Amino acid sequence: QVQLVESGGGLVQAGGSLSLSCAASGSIVSINTMAWYRQAPGNQRDLVASITRGGITNYADSVKGRFTISRDNAKNTVYLRMNSLKPEDTAVYYCNADVTRSGTRWTLVNYWGQGAQVTVSS
């Protein structure tokens, strides 16, 4: 019923910048918190940044001052601007959203994007 489609992954040199986007579509009544997670090989999936519908943000300590999360509620899209990238930022980045879904009843459901590979070379 709801899909999150990510775009913007790729290869970038250390110190460079990259932007990710994630658009939600489907039977959406509203989207509450949206977030970005990342998972490197052998590691768990960790929260990178989150943003409420009203724009309140939260960042992992490792990315504070370098990454910026934003959203466009009219487009049901969340963005992640990544500056001053480091090799340790290399991971698959997943978007996540808490969605109030329409149907026989309104239901709050958490969804994941397909993942976008971000590779930072040194």
Side-chain angles (χ1 to χ4, degrees):
Q1 288 186 290
V2 175
Q3 295 179 343
L4 304 182
V5 179
E6 301 179 31
S7 62
L11 175 65
V12 65
Q13 294 181 359
S17 298
L18 196 64
S19 294
L20 303 177
S21 66
C22 175
S25 62
S27 303
I28 299 170
V29 176
S30 64
I31 302 178
N32 299 313
T33 299
M34 304 185 80
W36 290 95
Y37 290 74
R38 67 186 181 187
Q39 187 169 22
N43 293 346
Q44 66 180 2
R45 190 171 299 183
D46 294 325
L47 178 68
V48 176
S50 65
I51 183 168
T52 68
R53 182 172 180 83
I56 299 173
T57 59
N58 181 56
Y59 296 92
D61 288 341
S62 60
V63 306
K64 284 183 178 177
R66 300 188 297 119
F67 291 11
T68 302
I69 188 170
S70 61
R71 64 189 288 171
D72 185 334
N73 291 336
K75 296 181 179 179
N76 288 332
T77 300
V78 63
Y79 307 91
L80 186 68
R81 176 64 176 176
M82 300 180 288
N83 295 324
S84 302
L85 282 162
K86 305 174 181 179
E88 49 263 46
D89 295 319
T90 295
V92 177
Y93 284 70
Y94 297 90
C95 66
N96 179 272
D98 290 322
V99 178
T100 299
R101 186 183 66 194
S102 64
T104 56
R105 68 175 70 182
W106 288 4
T107 307
L108 181 62
V109 182
N110 186 260
Y111 290 94
W112 291 96
Q114 81 277 14
Q117 177 68 52
V118 173
T119 302
V120 184
S121 63
S122 61

Short mmCIF file of all heavy atoms in Angstrom, two decimals, residues 8-20 66-67 81-91 93 117-122:
data_model
loop_
_atom_site.label_atom_id
_atom_site.label_comp_id
_atom_site.label_asym_id
_atom_site.label_seq_id
_atom_site.Cartn_x
_atom_site.Cartn_y
_atom_site.Cartn_z
N GLY A 8 19.83 8.80 -5.13
CA GLY A 8 20.93 9.69 -4.82
C GLY A 8 22.19 9.06 -4.28
O GLY A 8 23.16 9.77 -3.99
N GLY A 9 22.22 7.75 -4.13
CA GLY A 9 23.43 7.11 -3.66
C GLY A 9 24.52 7.14 -4.72
O GLY A 9 24.29 7.50 -5.87
N GLY A 10 25.73 6.80 -4.30
CA GLY A 10 26.83 6.78 -5.24
C GLY A 10 28.17 6.80 -4.57
O GLY A 10 28.30 6.58 -3.36
N LEU A 11 29.19 7.07 -5.36
CA LEU A 11 30.57 7.11 -4.91
C LEU A 11 31.04 8.55 -4.84
O LEU A 11 30.82 9.33 -5.78
CB LEU A 11 31.45 6.31 -5.88
CG LEU A 11 32.96 6.33 -5.64
CD1 LEU A 11 33.30 5.65 -4.32
CD2 LEU A 11 33.68 5.66 -6.80
N VAL A 12 31.69 8.89 -3.75
CA VAL A 12 32.19 10.25 -3.57
C VAL A 12 33.51 10.20 -2.83
O VAL A 12 33.77 9.27 -2.04
CB VAL A 12 31.16 11.11 -2.79
CG1 VAL A 12 30.97 10.59 -1.37
CG2 VAL A 12 31.55 12.57 -2.80
N GLN A 13 34.36 11.17 -3.09
CA GLN A 13 35.64 11.25 -2.40
C GLN A 13 35.46 11.80 -0.99
O GLN A 13 34.52 12.56 -0.71
CB GLN A 13 36.61 12.14 -3.17
CG GLN A 13 37.02 11.60 -4.53
CD GLN A 13 37.99 12.51 -5.24
OE1 GLN A 13 38.36 13.58 -4.74
NE2 GLN A 13 38.42 12.11 -6.42
N ALA A 14 36.36 11.41 -0.11
CA ALA A 14 36.35 11.96 1.24
C ALA A 14 36.40 13.48 1.19
O ALA A 14 37.15 14.07 0.41
CB ALA A 14 37.52 11.42 2.05
N GLY A 15 35.59 14.10 2.03
CA GLY A 15 35.48 15.55 2.03
C GLY A 15 34.41 16.09 1.10
O GLY A 15 34.06 17.28 1.19
N GLY A 16 33.88 15.24 0.26
CA GLY A 16 32.87 15.65 -0.67
C GLY A 16 31.47 15.60 -0.09
O GLY A 16 31.28 15.33 1.10
N SER A 17 30.49 15.84 -0.94
CA SER A 17 29.10 15.90 -0.52
C SER A 17 28.24 15.02 -1.40
O SER A 17 28.56 14.74 -2.56
CB SER A 17 28.58 17.34 -0.58
OG SER A 17 29.31 18.19 0.28
N LEU A 18 27.12 14.61 -0.83
CA LEU A 18 26.17 13.78 -1.54
C LEU A 18 24.80 14.00 -0.92
O LEU A 18 24.69 14.21 0.29
CB LEU A 18 26.56 12.31 -1.45
CG LEU A 18 25.92 11.31 -2.42
CD1 LEU A 18 26.33 11.63 -3.86
CD2 LEU A 18 26.33 9.90 -2.06
N SER A 19 23.77 13.95 -1.75
CA SER A 19 22.41 14.12 -1.27
C SER A 19 21.56 12.90 -1.59
O SER A 19 21.66 12.34 -2.68
CB SER A 19 21.77 15.36 -1.89
OG SER A 19 22.41 16.54 -1.45
N LEU A 20 20.75 12.51 -0.64
CA LEU A 20 19.82 11.42 -0.81
C LEU A 20 18.40 11.95 -0.72
O LEU A 20 18.14 12.93 -0.02
CB LEU A 20 20.01 10.35 0.27
CG LEU A 20 21.39 9.72 0.41
CD1 LEU A 20 21.39 8.74 1.58
CD2 LEU A 20 21.80 9.03 -0.87
N ARG A 66 27.61 17.77 10.04
CA ARG A 66 27.96 17.40 8.67
C ARG A 66 26.74 17.05 7.82
O ARG A 66 26.72 17.34 6.63
CB ARG A 66 28.93 16.22 8.66
CG ARG A 66 30.24 16.49 9.38
CD ARG A 66 31.25 15.36 9.16
NE ARG A 66 30.78 14.10 9.72
CZ ARG A 66 30.57 12.99 8.99
NH1 ARG A 66 30.82 12.99 7.68
NH2 ARG A 66 30.15 11.87 9.58
N PHE A 67 25.76 16.40 8.43
CA PHE A 67 24.57 15.97 7.70
C PHE A 67 23.39 16.84 8.07
O PHE A 67 23.28 17.32 9.21
CB PHE A 67 24.22 14.52 8.04
CG PHE A 67 25.18 13.48 7.52
CD1 PHE A 67 26.40 13.82 6.98
CD2 PHE A 67 24.84 12.14 7.59
CE1 PHE A 67 27.28 12.86 6.51
CE2 PHE A 67 25.70 11.16 7.13
CZ PHE A 67 26.93 11.52 6.59
N ARG A 81 21.22 15.65 3.25
CA ARG A 81 22.38 16.30 2.67
C ARG A 81 23.59 15.91 3.50
O ARG A 81 23.62 16.18 4.70
CB ARG A 81 22.20 17.81 2.64
CG ARG A 81 23.42 18.59 2.13
CD ARG A 81 23.70 18.28 0.68
NE ARG A 81 24.79 19.09 0.16
CZ ARG A 81 25.30 18.97 -1.05
NH1 ARG A 81 24.81 18.07 -1.90
NH2 ARG A 81 26.30 19.76 -1.43
N MET A 82 24.57 15.31 2.86
CA MET A 82 25.76 14.81 3.54
C MET A 82 26.96 15.60 3.06
O MET A 82 27.33 15.53 1.88
CB MET A 82 25.95 13.32 3.28
CG MET A 82 24.78 12.47 3.75
SD MET A 82 25.01 10.69 3.43
CE MET A 82 24.80 10.70 1.64
N ASN A 83 27.56 16.34 3.96
CA ASN A 83 28.76 17.12 3.66
C ASN A 83 29.95 16.56 4.41
O ASN A 83 29.81 15.82 5.38
CB ASN A 83 28.55 18.58 4.05
CG ASN A 83 27.49 19.28 3.25
OD1 ASN A 83 27.34 19.03 2.05
ND2 ASN A 83 26.75 20.18 3.89
N SER A 84 31.14 16.95 3.98
CA SER A 84 32.38 16.53 4.64
C SER A 84 32.41 15.04 4.89
O SER A 84 32.72 14.57 5.99
CB SER A 84 32.57 17.30 5.95
OG SER A 84 32.58 18.70 5.73
N LEU A 85 32.09 14.28 3.86
CA LEU A 85 31.97 12.84 4.01
C LEU A 85 33.30 12.19 4.35
O LEU A 85 34.36 12.62 3.89
CB LEU A 85 31.39 12.24 2.74
CG LEU A 85 29.88 12.41 2.59
CD1 LEU A 85 29.45 12.20 1.15
CD2 LEU A 85 29.15 11.44 3.51
N LYS A 86 33.22 11.14 5.15
CA LYS A 86 34.36 10.38 5.60
C LYS A 86 34.22 8.93 5.15
O LYS A 86 33.10 8.45 4.94
CB LYS A 86 34.47 10.42 7.13
CG LYS A 86 34.52 11.81 7.73
CD LYS A 86 34.47 11.74 9.25
CE LYS A 86 34.48 13.12 9.87
NZ LYS A 86 34.40 13.05 11.35
N PRO A 87 35.33 8.21 5.00
CA PRO A 87 35.22 6.79 4.63
C PRO A 87 34.33 6.00 5.57
O PRO A 87 33.65 5.07 5.12
CB PRO A 87 36.67 6.31 4.68
CG PRO A 87 37.47 7.52 4.35
CD PRO A 87 36.74 8.66 5.01
N GLU A 88 34.30 6.34 6.85
CA GLU A 88 33.47 5.62 7.79
C GLU A 88 31.98 5.87 7.60
O GLU A 88 31.15 5.22 8.24
CB GLU A 88 33.87 5.94 9.25
CG GLU A 88 34.01 7.42 9.54
CD GLU A 88 35.44 7.91 9.45
OE1 GLU A 88 36.14 7.56 8.47
OE2 GLU A 88 35.88 8.65 10.35
N ASP A 89 31.62 6.81 6.73
CA ASP A 89 30.22 7.01 6.37
C ASP A 89 29.75 6.00 5.33
O ASP A 89 28.55 5.95 5.03
CB ASP A 89 30.00 8.42 5.82
CG ASP A 89 30.25 9.51 6.86
OD1 ASP A 89 29.84 9.32 8.02
OD2 ASP A 89 30.84 10.54 6.50
N THR A 90 30.66 5.22 4.78
CA THR A 90 30.30 4.23 3.78
C THR A 90 29.32 3.22 4.37
O THR A 90 29.59 2.59 5.39
CB THR A 90 31.55 3.51 3.27
OG1 THR A 90 32.39 4.44 2.58
CG2 THR A 90 31.17 2.39 2.30
N ALA A 91 28.19 3.07 3.72
CA ALA A 91 27.14 2.17 4.20
C ALA A 91 25.99 2.17 3.20
O ALA A 91 25.97 2.97 2.26
CB ALA A 91 26.63 2.62 5.58
N TYR A 93 22.30 3.23 2.99
CA TYR A 93 21.43 4.17 3.69
C TYR A 93 19.97 3.86 3.37
O TYR A 93 19.58 3.76 2.21
CB TYR A 93 21.76 5.61 3.28
CG TYR A 93 23.03 6.12 3.92
CD1 TYR A 93 24.27 5.62 3.53
CD2 TYR A 93 22.99 7.09 4.92
CE1 TYR A 93 25.43 6.07 4.13
CE2 TYR A 93 24.15 7.55 5.52
CZ TYR A 93 25.37 7.03 5.13
OH TYR A 93 26.52 7.49 5.72
N GLN A 117 23.31 2.69 -1.71
CA GLN A 117 24.71 2.52 -1.36
C GLN A 117 25.43 3.86 -1.44
O GLN A 117 25.38 4.54 -2.47
CB GLN A 117 25.38 1.52 -2.29
CG GLN A 117 26.88 1.34 -2.04
CD GLN A 117 27.16 0.66 -0.72
OE1 GLN A 117 26.61 -0.40 -0.43
NE2 GLN A 117 28.02 1.28 0.10
N VAL A 118 26.10 4.22 -0.37
CA VAL A 118 26.96 5.39 -0.33
C VAL A 118 28.36 4.91 -0.02
O VAL A 118 28.60 4.28 1.02
CB VAL A 118 26.50 6.40 0.73
CG1 VAL A 118 27.52 7.54 0.87
CG2 VAL A 118 25.14 6.96 0.37
N THR A 119 29.28 5.19 -0.92
CA THR A 119 30.67 4.78 -0.76
C THR A 119 31.56 6.02 -0.78
O THR A 119 31.51 6.80 -1.73
CB THR A 119 31.11 3.81 -1.86
OG1 THR A 119 30.26 2.66 -1.86
CG2 THR A 119 32.54 3.36 -1.64
N VAL A 120 32.35 6.17 0.27
CA VAL A 120 33.25 7.32 0.39
C VAL A 120 34.68 6.81 0.31
O VAL A 120 35.12 6.02 1.15
CB VAL A 120 33.03 8.07 1.71
CG1 VAL A 120 33.93 9.30 1.76
CG2 VAL A 120 31.57 8.46 1.86
N SER A 121 35.40 7.25 -0.70
CA SER A 121 36.77 6.83 -0.91
C SER A 121 37.74 7.82 -0.29
O SER A 121 37.44 9.01 -0.14
CB SER A 121 37.06 6.68 -2.40
OG SER A 121 36.93 7.92 -3.08
N SER A 122 38.93 7.33 0.06
CA SER A 122 39.96 8.17 0.65
C SER A 122 41.19 8.23 -0.23
O SER A 122 41.31 7.49 -1.21
CB SER A 122 40.33 7.67 2.04
OG SER A 122 40.84 6.36 1.98
#
